[in-house]
Amino acid sequence: MGVFGGAKFVVISLLVIDQVVATLGHAKGKREETVDTGSCDAFTGTWVHDGSYPLYDPSQCPFLEKQFDCLENGRLDKGYLEYRWKPAGDCDLPRFDGRHFLSRLRGKRLMFVGDSLSLNQWQSLACMVHTAVPEAKYTLTRVAGLSNFSFPEYGVQLLFFRDPFLVDIVSTSTGRALRLDSLQSAEIWEGVDVLIFNSWHWWLHVGRKQPWDYIQEGDKTYKDMNRLVAYEKALNTWAKWVDSSVDPSKTTIFYQGISPDHANASDWGEPKANACLNQTRPLAVSRYPAGPNPAELVVERVIRSMTYPVHLLNVTYLSQLRIDGHPSMYGLGRRRMLDCSHWCLPGVPDTWNVFLYQSLVAHSF
Ligand SMILES: *[C@@H]1O[C@H](CO)[C@@H](O)[C@H](O)[C@H]1NC(C)=O
Ligand SMILES: *[C@@H]1O[C@H](CO)[C@@H](O)[C@H](O)[C@H]1NC(C)=O
Ligand SMILES: *[C@@H]1O[C@H](CO)[C@@H](O)[C@H](O)[C@H]1NC(C)=O
């Protein structure tokens, strides 16, 4: 177990982390497990330097997309690659074990559903698993919005379905309607064993980047709406679908959590800095100066109202600390358009996947 302490200790923290991940599902007393997060709150902690990181060599991950491959795009500082998340208190996250992950997922389909932050996490997971079994055959296909990374020998499919709003956008004679109460794409997710949902960033787009002309809810239409309010309505549509249509004994559902951006350096008390440009170290603070992300509170509220035990990957805070983790000028927009939303790979989404791994492994399925 090396730096992660004795085996017994790791097993204990596995269980506790699972309890932390599962906490939200208990709000209505549907399950009476006792939740004792005790001295281990896995989503609170600090980033520590660990020379055994990163978890993979991006040059050995042939399908890593250019937009996330910061080293290939010329990033020279490498400190950002060597941080490990250290939960507060008496616990450590164990290291990702790709072989173990594949054996637990044998015969299963796992699908990320959402925007390019889902793509970011899916790419990270594919690189992490491929690195563990570099000799194992894989196939990679992309048809319309569905990307499919498969290991035929293990019968494991790691899928990504692009669906940035989760609810539908429908073309009508009067323009493109964002329908807050309609969820047609759900048929693509049906029967998938593990689903990891994410949506938020596209709700903020205005002007040319906004892919709808008006919002529709029932027979009411709106020119626009407070975006957090619209987001909450859409998430409630999603929540109703999950509660009424998905069988918890067959499907494990995660919500990826809100991935914070670092477009505004005042958020972390450096008003003179140009967003995430040239940041090389995580914030060493015990509270993010701008506080929680408002969308994060919406997600918590919606999940808490559900009867389905959705597991929240509560990654917002730990990612808020990583002002150094974005492609910045080593992304697709180069200097012209700094990318302070996505994450370099290897990087922060690898840790999101360690949480995903932990939670799946701690579940018997
Ligand atoms: C998520 O993590 C943050 C930071 O550790 C914490 O303040 C918040 O209560 C957590 N949310 C849930 C639902 O556990
Ligand atoms: C993904 O690819 C594998 C291997 O080619 C294939 O068997 C499987 O049906 C594909 N999955 C989906 C959902 O298209
Ligand atoms: C950021 O780093 C680049 C590359 O090292 C350098 O050319 C540039 O002057 C720096 N910009 C700022 C604002 O410090």
Side-chain angles (χ1 to χ4, degrees):
M1 285 296 161
V3 294
F4 300 101
K8 192 171 161 211
F9 182 78
V10 169
V11 170
I12 292 167
S13 49
L14 277 186
L15 293 174
V16 175
I17 288 162
D18 184 51
Q19 288 171 352
V20 173
V21 174
T23 308
L24 279 173
H26 298 245
K28 286 186 169 169
K30 332 148 196 171
R31 283 190 293 160
E32 288 300 323
E33 289 162 41
T34 48
V35 178
D36 175 16
T37 53
S39 59
C40 177
D41 173 4
F43 296 111
T44 305
T46 49
W47 291 97
V48 295
H49 180 261
D50 183 336
S52 75
Y53 274 57
L55 295 175
Y56 51 91
D57 173 353
S59 70
Q60 302 301 308
C61 186
F63 41 83
L64 179 57
E65 293 187 10
K66 185 169 168 61
Q67 59 171 319
F68 307 128
D69 197 347
C70 299
L71 290 179
E72 180 68 21
N73 295 335
R75 184 166 178 174
L76 294 175
D77 66 295
K78 297 202 168 61
Y80 76 96
L81 293 165
E82 300 190 339
Y83 286 102
R84 175 169 56 83
W85 178 248
K86 169 75 185 77
D90 265 350
C91 60
D92 268 317
L93 280 173
R95 207 175 170 88
F96 183 81
D97 179 340
R99 287 178 180 275
H100 188 203
F101 181 79
L102 278 174
S103 68
R104 292 302 292 269
L105 272 170
R106 191 174 283 279
K108 308 267 184 204
R109 288 186 293 162
L110 175 150
M111 187 187 284
F112 290 91
V113 180
D115 57 24
S116 54
L117 276 316
S118 301
L119 171 68
N120 218 166
Q121 189 175 351
W122 172 76
Q123 283 249 298
S124 155
L125 185 63
C127 287
M128 286 161 76
V129 174
H130 170 64
T131 296
V133 289
E135 73 293 347
K137 282 207 190 67
Y138 65 83
T139 61
L140 178 59
T141 57
R142 196 161 294 184
V143 180
L146 184 67
S147 303
N148 177 348
F149 185 78
S150 289
F151 289 93
E153 291 159 40
Y154 293 86
V156 172
Q157 299 173 32
L158 306 178
L159 307 157
F160 160 61
F161 180 64
R162 192 180 174 285
D163 194 5
F165 292 92
L166 301 181
V167 293
D168 301 331
I169 294 178
V170 183
S171 284
T172 69
S173 55
T174 48
R176 298 160 300 173
L178 174 59
R179 298 189 55 188
L180 300 182
D181 53 4
S182 170
L183 200 82
Q184 298 293 333
S185 48
E187 62 190 43
I188 294 178
W189 323 327
E190 263 164 53
V192 173
D193 303 282
V194 180
L195 285 163
I196 306 116
F197 290 97
N198 150 58
S199 175
W200 171 236
H201 286 226
W202 280 75
W203 292 89
L204 296 170
H205 288 334
V206 292
R208 277 178 45 224
K209 292 184 86 182
Q210 174 187 306
W212 49 267
D213 301 306
Y214 61 94
I215 294 177
Q216 191 176 347
E217 190 190 20
D219 27 0
K220 292 209 186 74
T221 60
Y222 306 85
K223 187 75 202 133
D224 207 339
M225 193 185 279
N226 175 301
R227 301 305 177 84
L228 272 173
V229 172
Y231 178 58
E232 183 153 0
K233 287 174 185 285
L235 273 194
N236 277 319
T237 300
W238 166 83
K240 263 192 224 125
W241 175 81
V242 169
D243 278 346
S244 62
S245 316
V246 189
D247 177 351
S249 70
K250 297 209 175 81
T251 304
T252 306
I253 296 189
F254 291 86
Y255 201 86
Q256 188 181 329
I258 301 295
S259 174
D261 68 54
H262 291 100
N264 183 355
S266 310
D267 284 355
W268 64 93
E270 253 192 283
K272 296 225 169 67
N274 180 2
C276 66
L277 179 66
N278 290 6
Q279 298 288 349
T280 56
R281 269 192 290 273
L283 292 175
V285 294
S286 54
R287 181 187 169 276
Y288 188 60
N293 188 304
E296 179 183 5
L297 305 177
V298 169
V299 169
E300 287 183 7
R301 198 155 52 231
V302 171
I303 293 180
R304 201 175 282 130
S305 76
M306 297 173 70
T307 51
Y308 199 98
V310 170
H311 307 286
L312 175 65
L313 298 175
N314 185 14
V315 297
T316 310
Y317 173 69
L318 62 92
S319 309
Q320 281 176 325
L321 300 181
R322 293 304 303 273
I323 54 176
D324 60 322
H326 299 284
S328 179
M329 63 182 188
Y330 306 107
L332 290 184
R334 313 300 297 185
R335 276 167 205 271
R336 210 169 19 82
M337 210 168 72
L338 298 182
D339 183 351
C340 298
S341 300
H342 300 105
W343 303 94
C344 294
L345 295 180
V348 173
D350 305 341
T351 296
W352 305 348
N353 280 320
V354 171
F355 280 105
L356 176 69
Y357 163 74
Q358 278 302 46
S359 189
L360 287 175
V361 165
H363 269 90
S364 42
F365 86 102

